[in-house]
Amino acid sequence: MNSISVGLVATLLMIYGAKINNYFKKITRSVPFIGRFALFVVLCSAGYAFLSSQLVRFLKMFLRGQADLPLIGIIAGAFLVLAFLARSGKDV
């Protein structure tokens, strides 16, 4: 479950990471360059690490609670949805 959870979360962050970074850049536009750079480093090092660790933990708990057959459908469906999102976002 750990590998599957990490794979799903990593794929999700790959798809939406640029959008998150652009939004962060937009909201910190008024901050001087050094401050903006420091905040971006904090976002990338601590923010993404915290976000991914919590998402992996919650996803793993959710998947462990599923029966075998629904689990297969959930995992396959999740990867198919992520593939569709990556394709529509021109990431693939």
Side-chain angles (χ1 to χ4, degrees), residues 51-89:
L51 181 65
S52 62
S53 69
Q54 295 306 306
L55 286 175
V56 165
R57 185 172 66 105
F58 289 129
L59 186 59
K60 190 171 28 173
M61 287 187 330
F62 171 75
L63 291 176
R64 282 187 179 158
Q66 304 304 312
D68 290 342
L69 194 56
L71 178 64
I72 294 168
I74 290 169
I75 292 170
F79 277 111
L80 285 172
V81 167
L82 288 174
F84 175 74
L85 290 172
R87 177 81 171 142
S88 66

